[in-house]
Amino acid sequence: MSLRNKFRVTVENRKKIGGYMFTLPFVIGFILFFLYPFIQSVIYSFSSIEFSRTGYTLSNVGFNNYHYSIFVNTQFREDFIETMIAMLTQLPMILAFSFFAAVILNQKFKGRGIARVIFFLPVIYSAGVVLRMETNDIITQMLEANQDSFMFSGEALRALLVQTRFMPEQVIYFILAAVDSIPDIIRSSGIQILIFLAGLQSISPSVYEAAKVEGASGWESFWLITFPMISPLIITNTIYTVVDSLIAANNPLVLLIREMTFSGNRFGVGAAMATMYFASIALILAIIYKLVNKHVFYRE
Amino acid sequence: MKNSRVSSVTSNIKIDKIKLKKLLISIARTVLLLGISYIILMPLLSKFSNSLMPVRDLYDQTVKWIPRNVTFEHYSMVWEHMRYPSALFNTMTLTILVSLLQLASCTVVAYGLARFDFRGKNLIFGLVLFTLIVPPQMIMIPLYLNMRYFDLFGLLSLFSEGGFNLIGSYWPFVLTSITGTGLRNGLFIYIMRQFFKGMPKELEEAAYIDGAGLLRTFIKVMLPGAVPGLIIVFLFAFVWQWNDFFFTTLFMGGGHYLPMALQLVANRVIQAVTDGQAPLSTQGDQYESLLNNTGMILVISPLLVLYGFMQRYFIESVERSGIVG
């Protein structure tokens, strides 16, 4: 047993070291620029902050910031409920639309290339500052109001549907709101379509051929092959959609937290709001994961 | 004889039925695709047509899509008051820097997660997903303060009282980008990890047997095969950094970048107009909106050019990527 042999790095060991080597940048960054600020944020939410020339000092104020966010500043409550309802109504529609769009874009037809270029275009123009300015834009709002007159959501139709009372009023309003948000849904589905499309491409054509030989119709092979095969991606897309809508630049809660922090100089209140916001996102994702995961088919 | 004729007739009818069905499906598909494309393109086209309209066309009910008198005055006003060339240059520099660094770090980390077995691998991947679901607003305040009084747990205080102020420099971007903790980097790591997982293992084994080291194998063997994934990630990183308002205002508060310039431009132009420095006397919400639209066209047109150049590779990448959860 020579010393040299003992210290010789085997391929296995080298691969282990390689794993640490390659992931080290992220681990360092995670600790310094993510975990540390994350913990600090929770601490800030229980503190008030005083600034001085060479830094800042914290003093413990207990649950005051939380109390202020929930009971004193009503804006947070309103925005929170509004954001959550909007997200939960849009989520199923975004998932359904992007799945459907990916199935169409996966078929062979003339002009498929152009269709794909257009479908992914919102990823480019509907982000960040542009998205944010669009929400407050008068001309965009006018255009959308004009759209009303030829889509199913015109004022007259709305009144008529409510009067006929063939459904509860709330249901009608819900459906109309859903129809109203179709353009939004289409424009925020780019990445989800991409993920589903990549999933569809990964299904081997031989599976479909085998099904065809067995006499399965197109409808059957869709529900028995395509759908189960890409169902794990429904979870990926759910997580992505929830996160994307909750941190979007035009989200009212995001703007409120910003405003609290930088204009109002209430760092502690901003931190308390952000902490509660994160906790509810985590909770929602956990619930959705539990619900959806039962119905997902895994290949392995 | 008779029998065979009958069967050929029925098979003809069958073929016609199939043809008809195919035709109907393709018509339905075309109509749907056109409708969806219209919804996607409408905001872009309407902004563009608006930006070319003189103000009186805007208030004229008979003018809808095509401006009666095409004018470029809004472009020249917005260009001037955004100080477009310098904002473009600053944004371009920052965006190229950030997206290349993010591309490099996310690829390296993703390769480590996809191809090596080591203790804590699942934990690290879990942390990557964790960074995805924490809203940036949550870490915004402490991150800002850490960058404002940067001292690495008090180590740097030895050199400068209270740490260094990194706000207003590229450092906050560089530091978060090289460590894969920048804007949506979790998603990039996720995409690249799936991509490397889909590549055949034999490639690396062969390189190892030939005596190539880990780094050499990664750069010479794996990266060339991963180009489609790299293109997707680069495009996303570029677009999001370009449009990003969040980190850019956080770290570059007083800086002159496109997102900030865009937010201020309408007010500036209206100010200039009402001060009598310009010949136009109309103002109001619609005029403000028109100026914003013109500004947005100026901000996203470089992105559209880039997308135009890269779309072929981008679409191909989707075909070959197999980003599957």
Side-chain angles (χ1 to χ4, degrees), chain A residues 69-82:
Chain A
S69 311
I70 300 173
F71 299 109
V72 182
N73 190 317
T74 54
Q75 190 71 32
F76 179 72
R77 248 181 323 185
E78 283 166 24
D79 286 351
F80 185 84
I81 293 168
E82 186 195 327

Side-chain angles (χ1 to χ4, degrees), chain B residues 267-319:
Chain B
N267 280 335
R268 285 207 181 134
V269 171
I270 289 173
Q271 193 84 47
V273 168
T274 46
D275 280 357
Q277 290 164 7
L280 242 158
S281 62
T282 327
Q283 43 169 316
D285 289 346
Q286 293 216 24
Y287 183 51
E288 187 184 331
S289 177
L290 184 149
L291 293 169
N292 282 335
N293 281 344
T294 313
M296 282 188 237
I297 294 281
L298 282 177
V299 169
I300 58 178
S301 46
L303 291 179
L304 294 178
V305 172
L306 179 79
Y307 185 57
F309 275 119
M310 287 178 72
Q311 52 85 8
R312 193 147 41 95
Y313 306 102
F314 180 66
I315 302 294
E316 255 172 46
S317 305
V318 177
E319 295 256 295

Side-chain angles (χ1 to χ4, degrees), chain A residues 14-23 25-34 36-38 40-42 44 49 51-56 97 100 104-105 107-109 112-113 115-125 127-130 132-134 137-140 142-143 146-147 150 182-183 186-187 191 194-195 197-199 201-202 232-233 236 239-240 243-244 246-247 254 257-258 261-262 267 270-271 274-275 277-278 281-282 285 299, chain B residues 29 32-33 36-44 46-47 50 58 64-65 108-109 111-113 115-119 124 127-128 130-147 149-150 152-153 161-162 175-176 178-181 184 187 189-190 205 208 212-215 218 232 235-236 239-240 243 245-246 249-250 259 262-263 285-286 289-290 292-293 296 299-300 303-304 307 311 314-315 318-319 321-325:
Chain A
R14 202 168 65 166
K15 287 193 101 173
K16 257 182 211 157
I17 295 168
Y20 292 117
M21 207 176 77
F22 278 96
T23 50
F26 174 77
V27 174
I28 294 175
F30 180 81
I31 294 169
L32 283 182
F33 307 120
F34 214 93
Y36 182 53
F38 184 86
Q40 275 183 312
S41 182
V42 177
Y44 288 177
I49 301 169
F51 287 93
S52 65
R53 221 144 192 271
T54 53
Y56 51 93
F97 173 75
F100 172 73
I104 291 186
L105 290 180
Q107 292 169 347
K108 284 206 167 70
F109 58 90
R112 180 172 78 166
R116 286 188 181 179
V117 169
I118 293 175
F119 271 61
F120 298 133
L121 200 55
V123 178
I124 308 284
Y125 78 73
V129 69
V130 176
R132 184 171 163 187
M133 304 213 29
E134 201 142 74
D137 185 64
I138 298 240
I139 292 179
T140 312
M142 269 170 39
L143 269 168
N146 274 340
Q147 248 178 355
F150 62 85
I182 285 177
I186 291 178
R187 281 173 218 146
I191 305 263
L194 188 84
I195 290 171
L197 190 59
Q201 306 265 345
S202 75
L233 294 185
T236 311
I239 294 175
Y240 180 79
V243 171
D244 190 53
L246 294 183
I247 66 174
V254 167
I257 293 173
R258 246 199 111 73
T261 309
F262 287 105
F267 279 64
T275 307
Y277 193 35
F278 164 71
I281 293 177
L285 285 177
R299 264 181 258 191
Chain B
R29 185 171 53 207
L32 249 171
L33 288 176
I36 294 170
S37 304
Y38 169 76
I39 290 177
I40 292 173
L41 292 175
M42 189 200 63
L44 272 185
S46 79
K47 275 190 198 75
N50 260 306
L58 205 62
K64 262 277 147 68
W65 275 92
V108 166
V109 173
Y111 182 66
L113 289 173
R115 277 302 213 245
F116 297 99
D117 268 322
F118 55 96
R119 249 187 150 187
I124 295 177
L127 298 181
V128 170
F130 180 68
T131 63
L132 254 181
I133 68 162
V134 173
Q137 288 72 32
M138 169 111 195
I139 59 161
M140 164 178 86
I141 306 155
L143 192 58
Y144 173 81
L145 292 176
N146 284 354
M147 294 298 182
Y149 307 102
F150 189 75
L152 278 179
F153 303 115
E161 182 73 20
L175 289 173
T176 52
I178 55 169
T179 54
T181 46
R184 302 214 200 193
L187 182 69
I189 295 175
Y190 183 84
E205 314 273 297
Y208 290 145
L214 292 176
L215 209 60
F218 171 63
I232 294 186
L235 193 70
F236 283 174
V239 166
W240 278 323
N243 283 322
F245 177 75
F246 182 77
T249 40
L250 190 64
L262 177 62
Q263 291 239 311
D285 289 346
Q286 293 216 24
S289 177
L290 184 149
N292 282 335
N293 281 344
M296 282 188 237
V299 169
I300 58 178
L303 291 179
L304 294 178
Y307 185 57
Q311 52 85 8
F314 180 66
I315 302 294
V318 177
E319 295 256 295
S321 64
I323 327 166
V324 178

Side-chain angles (χ1 to χ4, degrees), chain A residues 5-299:
Chain A
N5 251 348
K6 216 173 174 183
F7 280 106
R8 210 163 97 188
V9 188
T10 63
V11 174
E12 280 310 302
N13 272 335
R14 202 168 65 166
K15 287 193 101 173
K16 257 182 211 157
I17 295 168
Y20 292 117
M21 207 176 77
F22 278 96
T23 50
L24 188 65
F26 174 77
V27 174
I28 294 175
F30 180 81
I31 294 169
L32 283 182
F33 307 120
F34 214 93
L35 189 63
Y36 182 53
F38 184 86
I39 294 168
Q40 275 183 312
S41 182
V42 177
I43 296 172
Y44 288 177
S45 71
F46 293 104
S47 318
S48 90
I49 301 169
E50 295 286 334
F51 287 93
S52 65
R53 221 144 192 271
T54 53
Y56 51 93
T57 49
L58 303 174
S59 47
N60 192 340
V61 293
F63 280 94
N64 274 0
N65 293 326
Y66 288 91
H67 180 87
Y68 178 87
S69 311
I70 300 173
F71 299 109
V72 182
N73 190 317
T74 54
Q75 190 71 32
F76 179 72
R77 248 181 323 185
E78 283 166 24
D79 286 351
F80 185 84
I81 293 168
E82 186 195 327
T83 307
M84 292 300 162
I85 289 177
M87 190 271 294
L88 289 174
T89 47
Q90 289 206 352
L91 175 68
M93 292 195 282
I94 288 182
L95 289 178
F97 173 75
S98 54
F99 183 78
F100 172 73
V103 169
I104 291 186
L105 290 180
N106 195 38
Q107 292 169 347
K108 284 206 167 70
F109 58 90
K110 257 189 206 162
R112 180 172 78 166
I114 300 171
R116 286 188 181 179
V117 169
I118 293 175
F119 271 61
F120 298 133
L121 200 55
V123 178
I124 308 284
Y125 78 73
S126 187
V129 69
V130 176
L131 180 68
R132 184 171 163 187
M133 304 213 29
E134 201 142 74
T135 336
N136 309 323
D137 185 64
I138 298 240
I139 292 179
T140 312
Q141 281 164 12
M142 269 170 39
L143 269 168
E144 263 153 26
N146 274 340
Q147 248 178 355
D148 257 17
S149 54
F150 62 85
M151 292 185 76
F152 301 109
S153 44
E155 274 305 319
L157 185 72
R158 192 176 308 237
L160 187 76
L161 281 176
V162 173
Q163 271 172 10
T164 52
R165 286 164 200 259
F166 71 99
M167 276 187 287
E169 219 171 287
Q170 275 79 13
V171 177
I172 293 174
Y173 280 126
F174 179 79
I175 293 173
L176 289 174
V179 173
D180 268 341
S181 60
I182 285 177
D184 267 351
I185 304 263
I186 291 178
R187 281 173 218 146
S188 41
S189 298
I191 305 263
Q192 291 87 333
I193 297 175
L194 188 84
I195 290 171
F196 275 141
L197 190 59
L200 289 175
Q201 306 265 345
S202 75
I203 304 174
S204 148
S206 62
V207 182
Y208 289 107
E209 274 157 31
K212 216 173 185 182
V213 170
E214 299 285 327
S217 67
W219 182 252
E220 281 167 338
S221 60
F222 176 82
W223 284 111
L224 295 175
I225 300 172
T226 314
F227 193 75
M229 286 292 250
I230 69 169
S231 60
L233 294 185
I234 294 174
I235 291 189
T236 311
N237 267 343
T238 302
I239 294 175
Y240 180 79
T241 308
V242 170
V243 171
D244 190 53
S245 80
L246 294 183
I247 66 174
N250 60 351
N251 182 316
L253 261 190
V254 167
L255 296 176
L256 178 69
I257 293 173
R258 246 199 111 73
E259 190 193 303
M260 271 297 148
T261 309
F262 287 105
S263 316
N265 237 355
R266 291 173 172 272
F267 279 64
V269 174
M273 287 178 174
T275 307
M276 285 189 278
Y277 193 35
F278 164 71
S280 31
I281 293 177
L283 188 68
I284 288 172
L285 285 177
I287 292 171
I288 294 177
Y289 183 82
K290 273 259 150 102
L291 288 178
V292 179
N293 201 31
K294 262 191 279 181
H295 307 285
V296 164
F297 166 83
Y298 288 103
R299 264 181 258 191

